[in-house]
Amino acid sequence: MSFPLPSRTPSGPRRRTLLAAAAGTFALAGCSAPEPSGDSTGGSPSAADRARARGARDSTALADRYTAVITAHPDLAERLEPLRAEAVRHAKAFGAGSGGPSASGSPSSSASASAAPSGSPSASASASASASASASPDVPVRPKDALAGLASAELALADERTQTLVEVPGELARLLASVAAAGAAHAYLLTKAAK
């Protein structure tokens, strides 16, 4: 005799999502100032330095986008402030504001594309992430659309960071993996909140 499975739908984030977010948090807790890479040749930044700088700029731009949505929709502040704070911590983990190699260039100049969220994937994950995590975003009027736009930005950035993993050395790859996992968890939470 077979027993039917209960038709209970989960009422919150799945265990796998929480574990991924927790792993990212623990990995970031142990992070300190970025290590200088020995790959530098002739004064040009190494792939690791460029990835760190890009990570800091993208996380700072994402935090700015959260701030813009919170400003436009104050009723979402309680829900979004912890995610914005995580984006700020991610930027610091990549070296934003530390005066290191990743501090060159301002976060506002990191992306010049429009920040209008789009549901269709673009040809380049980097362009998509930069466009969706721009420092001066246009915030949608409806709160659900604003949440969906943030979810798209988080997911695009997580995808870009996952693709970058193969180009960087161990410790930075672990940081990118942790931050990408946290971004995917944020996207999940934002998507659930937008429904």
Side-chain angles (χ1 to χ4, degrees):
M1 168 185 242
S2 66
F3 295 102
L5 294 176
S7 64
R8 183 179 159 261
T9 57
S11 63
R14 293 189 175 129
R15 183 176 8 179
R16 194 176 325 161
T17 303
L18 292 176
L19 290 174
T25 302
F26 287 127
L28 285 176
C31 296
S32 60
E35 301 172 3
S37 70
D39 302 357
S40 203
T41 57
S44 65
S46 69
D49 290 339
R50 288 189 306 271
R52 256 190 217 98
R54 186 174 54 246
R57 282 191 309 267
D58 289 346
S59 292
T60 300
L62 186 62
D64 290 345
R65 184 173 180 141
Y66 273 108
T67 301
V69 171
I70 291 169
T71 302
H73 301 288
D75 52 321
L76 297 176
E78 185 177 340
R79 178 176 291 166
L80 296 180
E81 187 56 41
L83 302 179
R84 188 198 71 76
E86 279 291 309
V88 170
R89 280 193 288 277
H90 295 165
K92 288 180 182 176
F94 283 117
S98 68
S102 61
S104 63
S106 70
S108 61
S109 66
S110 66
S112 59
S114 168
S118 68
S120 63
S122 70
S124 166
S126 176
S128 169
S130 296
S132 60
S134 176
S136 58
D138 296 324
V139 178
V141 176
R142 291 181 15 181
K144 286 187 176 198
D145 293 340
L147 290 173
L150 284 171
S152 294
E154 285 275 15
L155 200 54
L157 195 51
D159 288 345
E160 176 186 340
R161 287 174 171 164
T162 301
Q163 291 175 358
T164 305
L165 289 173
V166 298
E167 303 169 6
V168 296
E171 193 61 36
L172 181 56
R174 284 187 285 279
L175 175 61
L176 281 167
S178 297
V179 174
H186 294 174
Y188 172 79
L189 294 171
L190 290 164
T191 301
K192 294 291 276 186
K195 290 184 179 182

